[in-house]
Amino acid sequence: MHERFRRFARRSAEIVGSAEMFLAACAAIVLWAVLGPRYNYSDTWQLVINTATTIITFLMVFMIQNTQNRDARAIQLKLDELIRAVKGARTEMVRLEELSDEELCALTGDFEKLRARLAAAGQGPRIPAEPPAHRPRPGATGEAE
């Protein structure tokens, strides 16, 4: 059953995420709006779109969440494999997603210190304290150059 649902959810997510389905949804909304005057913009006319969109959204949440969970697991496994394969990498970094928020914050602090130490030694990327100010290209604002 799980395998069938996985295949169904994956295929459904691909289909629903297509440009054709987006256009079909837009066409359905246009059709619904065009039918408004015919049904005197009745409560039933409004209920049709509300009910349809609610049901579709409700079902899609589960299918999309299934595919996202699977993709996230696969990415984590790939990253774990890379960590294990790189000589000198800290293998305790494997399965970080299972740490508590406090443990992740502590680890983030450790990496900030390491990055600062490497930058001070002239190694690794230098990260500015503030991002550079955005400077528009000459003529981009419509002003004369």
Side-chain angles (χ1 to χ4, degrees):
M1 163 126 173
H2 290 283
E3 181 61 19
R4 274 192 269 168
F5 179 73
R6 183 195 66 77
R7 285 194 310 262
F8 171 75
R10 169 71 64 188
R11 185 68 184 133
S12 297
E14 289 171 4
I15 292 169
V16 171
S18 70
E20 294 82 8
M21 283 303 283
F22 175 77
L23 292 175
C26 289
I29 291 170
V30 168
L31 176 65
W32 171 79
V34 166
L35 291 174
R38 177 182 169 122
Y39 293 102
N40 298 317
Y41 301 101
S42 68
D43 289 345
T44 303
W45 171 78
Q46 292 179 31
L47 189 60
V48 166
I49 197 73
N50 290 337
T51 303
T53 56
T54 301
I55 291 170
I56 290 168
T57 302
F58 180 75
L59 295 174
M60 288 307 300
V61 165
F62 295 103
M63 286 193 304
I64 292 171
Q65 188 63 52
N66 177 273
T67 58
Q68 289 294 311
N69 289 347
R70 181 173 166 68
D71 288 348
R73 267 195 318 271
I75 289 170
Q76 288 304 319
L77 289 171
K78 290 174 185 179
L79 290 172
D80 291 350
E81 178 61 20
L82 288 173
I83 291 170
R84 288 185 185 110
V86 173
K87 186 174 184 168
R90 299 187 300 178
T91 56
E92 63 267 13
M93 295 304 204
V94 171
R95 313 278 302 170
L96 285 182
E97 67 276 7
E98 295 177 2
L99 294 179
S100 70
D101 288 342
E102 293 79 20
E103 292 168 319
L104 287 174
C105 283
L107 193 57
T108 301
D110 292 346
F111 275 102
E112 293 293 333
K113 291 175 192 170
L114 176 63
R115 185 172 35 231
R117 197 168 53 239
L118 289 173
Q123 302 170 351
R126 294 176 192 247
I127 300 172
E130 294 182 24
H134 173 69
R135 294 184 190 101
R137 295 175 294 133
T141 60
E143 300 174 1
E145 292 182 33

